[in-house]
Amino acid sequence: GYRRLPDPVTHVREFRFSKNPIECMIIDELMGSQTHDLDWYFHLGVGVRIEQGGKPILESFHEGLTIRGHHDDQIIFRLYDQMNGMSAELIDGWISPRYGVKIPSSTIHLRVRMVLPLRVRFEITPRGQV
């Protein structure tokens, strides 16, 4: 779909999983040559909450945003690449556990306007592994 833009964009996403230490790395590469509005949405499970430690969400992202689940398990979600002008907010969203069902949940929304190309990395790690 992005190839139909006036400045065509190619999006390549790579997932890297590691067992020891346990971690998941998401790498997005966006290839183009002009300025584009970029958005990322990370949908959280029902009952999952974010702890920011009193810091703005974007600052927390770079240090490792703490996400807590149902059993008080903790996952650290980190944005590795700083981008000038990026904003981050927690918005109301929904998840769909099965066809035809929508359940309200929180969504992390990242937004930036910048000139491509771009390579951005996100890391997800269990709390004890940071």
Side-chain angles (χ1 to χ4, degrees):
Y2 307 127
R3 301 292 307 153
R4 291 179 277 172
L5 295 172
D7 174 45
V9 175
T10 299
H11 176 217
V12 176
R13 176 168 280 172
E14 179 182 348
F15 288 94
R16 294 183 186 169
F17 295 97
S18 172
K19 288 185 181 179
N20 193 10
I22 297 171
E23 67 182 13
C24 172
M25 178 82 67
I26 301 167
I27 303 163
D28 281 341
E29 288 190 62
L30 296 140
M31 280 108 12
S33 61
Q34 296 178 9
T35 301
H36 290 269
D37 293 316
L38 309 173
D39 292 276
W40 287 265
Y41 294 90
F42 295 94
H43 301 270
L44 305 177
V46 175
V48 172
R49 63 190 188 282
I50 293 178
E51 293 182 357
Q52 295 174 242
K55 297 179 182 176
I57 192 168
L58 191 57
E59 184 179 328
S60 296
F61 248 112
H62 291 292
E63 292 183 8
L65 188 64
T66 303
I67 301 173
R68 289 187 177 264
H70 292 286
H71 303 290
D72 216 26
D73 49 331
Q74 294 182 43
I75 292 176
I76 304 300
F77 188 24
R78 181 174 288 125
L79 169 64
Y80 267 88
D81 306 282
Q82 295 194 24
M83 290 173 264
N84 289 335
M86 177 177 261
S87 65
E89 63 182 336
L90 193 60
I91 61 173
D92 292 332
W94 55 270
I95 60 170
S96 179
R98 63 186 178 277
Y99 182 77
V101 176
K102 284 185 177 180
I103 300 173
S105 70
S106 295
T107 300
I108 298 169
H109 177 211
L110 301 176
R111 169 178 283 171
V112 68
R113 180 176 179 83
M114 65 184 307
V115 177
L116 298 182
L118 168 71
R119 184 173 193 258
V120 63
R121 297 168 297 157
F122 303 93
E123 180 186 81
I124 303 166
T125 310
R127 178 60 157 179
Q129 308 261 336
V130 178

